[in-house]
Amino acid sequence: MIKYGFIGTGNMAQAIITGLLNKHVPANNIGVTSPRSAAKLAEKLGVVALSTQALIDESDMIILAFLPNQLENVTAQLDFKDKLVVSVLAGVTVAQLTATTGTTQVVRTLPNVNVAINLGVTAFSQTQLTSENSQAFQTFSTYLGEGVALDESQFSVFSAIAGSGPAYVFKFIDALAKAGVANGLEATLATKIATQTVLGSAETLAESSQTAEELQDLVASPGGSTRAGLDDFSDQNFDDIVLHAIKATIAHKHL
Ligand SMILES: NC(=O)c1ccc[n+]([C@@H]2O[C@H](COP(=O)([O-])OP(=O)(O)OC[C@H]3O[C@@H](n4cnc5c(N)ncnc54)[C@H](OP(=O)(O)O)[C@@H]3O)[C@@H](O)[C@H]2O)c1
């Protein structure tokens, strides 16, 4: 029996499938279809490759994971009956999903790459789901990390912070490591130190009752070296640089 059927097997589908397998969803409960790579992926992961209509017919939940501009093309010849359809297509609305798939059971989601290690944050907006589908989606979303119910008008800001955000965090880690190298650390070691520092700091913040701003003060004693660094960040308008980049991300149209 196929629980989760993926149409499209690219980066995001593979990240989600990895997350499901980590949570011990049996590989034969996962189905895939795509024009070129599905059979290869099925062989590699032990999941089941099917034709698209067979996948829909045999799956409890169908995950749309191809590129947004392919929506009309892919759905044109298919019959989704009234199956639960979960889309990860950036910029595609619930109304568009309902119109193209013809099902009333639709969830628009926006996951990020961290779903592969079950630490994603996934925004979702949905039609009125049956209680069975609602439960099925909740289980799926829990496997991936945190789920956040969000008004569709806020998906673009969510996308900038959570979808693109991992790239920006990698950029910060890279900058931190490069600063270490510029001051005499060996490159691999500098990256390891910067990565573990970000990982530990995020964990500390997640477990703390204090805000990120308050925790800065906890690390930076008055007149100390960390305060000197934080003051320099302020002098260079670090917050404005981040705000500017997020605005640029939001302003850019999804491809
Ligand atoms: N990557 C991210 O971090 C991220 C984050 C949030 C949302 N998303 C969304 O996730 C979706 C997929 O992105 P991606 O990065 O995974 O793209 P990708 O790596 O380029 O994968 C696209 C997939 O679509 C498949 N495909 C193409 N034509 C198809 C068809 N006619 N029927 C079925 N499948 C077809 C391709 O199959 P073949 O391999 O066989 O050619 C490929 O597996 C996009 O809508 C994007 O907006 C991605």
Side-chain angles (χ1 to χ4, degrees):
M1 189 195 66
I2 308 289
K3 275 198 157 136
Y4 304 109
F6 290 79
I7 305 182
T9 49
N11 293 319
M12 185 40 70
Q14 289 185 41
I16 296 174
I17 291 170
T18 304
L20 296 177
L21 293 172
N22 284 342
K23 287 286 176 184
H24 309 294
V25 172
N28 62 5
N29 283 176
I30 298 171
V32 290
T33 188
S34 83
R36 284 162 291 272
S37 54
K40 229 181 187 170
L41 188 72
E43 205 176 306
K44 184 173 142 202
L45 300 178
V47 299
V48 184
L50 291 166
S51 72
T52 310
Q53 189 60 56
L55 181 95
I56 293 171
D57 294 344
E58 293 188 26
S59 300
D60 294 339
M61 179 190 296
I62 296 123
I63 297 109
L64 306 184
F66 42 82
L67 297 180
N69 61 12
Q70 297 171 314
L71 178 65
E72 305 230 331
N73 250 353
V74 175
T75 54
Q77 308 297 326
L78 299 171
D79 180 3
F80 286 86
K81 312 196 167 88
D82 216 13
K83 295 257 177 160
L84 174 59
V85 172
V86 174
S87 161
V88 304
L89 278 54
V92 175
T93 63
V94 168
Q96 286 171 303
L97 292 167
T98 310
T100 48
T101 62
T103 159
T104 61
Q105 302 292 293
V106 161
V107 189
R108 173 185 179 182
T109 72
L110 193 53
N112 69 8
V113 290
N114 297 333
V115 296
I117 55 163
N118 315 101
L119 288 173
V121 54
T122 301
F124 65 89
S125 179
Q126 62 200 33
T127 51
Q128 187 74 43
L129 299 186
T130 63
S131 58
E132 193 183 342
N133 283 341
S134 180
Q135 184 58 50
F137 176 71
Q138 208 180 329
T139 303
F140 173 74
S141 142
T142 308
Y143 285 153
L144 304 185
E146 291 267 340
V148 181
L150 207 64
D151 190 85
E152 285 197 274
S153 63
Q154 297 192 310
F155 266 58
S156 53
V157 58
F158 178 88
S159 173
I161 308 285
S164 308
Y168 306 152
V169 174
F170 298 144
K171 182 156 186 61
F172 180 71
I173 292 173
D174 191 44
L176 205 54
K178 279 179 177 150
V181 171
N183 285 281
L185 280 179
E186 189 273 322
T188 312
L189 181 64
T191 302
K192 187 176 171 180
I193 294 169
T195 305
Q196 187 59 32
T197 302
V198 170
L199 185 66
S201 308
E203 197 76 52
T204 297
L205 177 59
E207 285 177 13
S208 171
S209 54
Q210 291 179 285
T211 65
E213 207 168 2
E214 286 165 349
L215 286 177
Q216 288 175 42
D217 289 335
L218 204 76
V219 183
S221 40
S225 58
T226 308
R227 179 58 57 200
L230 283 174
D231 288 347
D232 198 71
F233 269 125
S234 295
D235 292 347
Q236 310 289 331
N237 296 319
F238 179 74
D239 289 5
D240 287 346
I241 291 170
V242 175
L243 179 62
H244 204 268
I246 295 300
K247 276 188 180 165
T249 315
I250 293 171
H252 200 272
K253 268 210 159 303
H254 289 297
L255 291 179

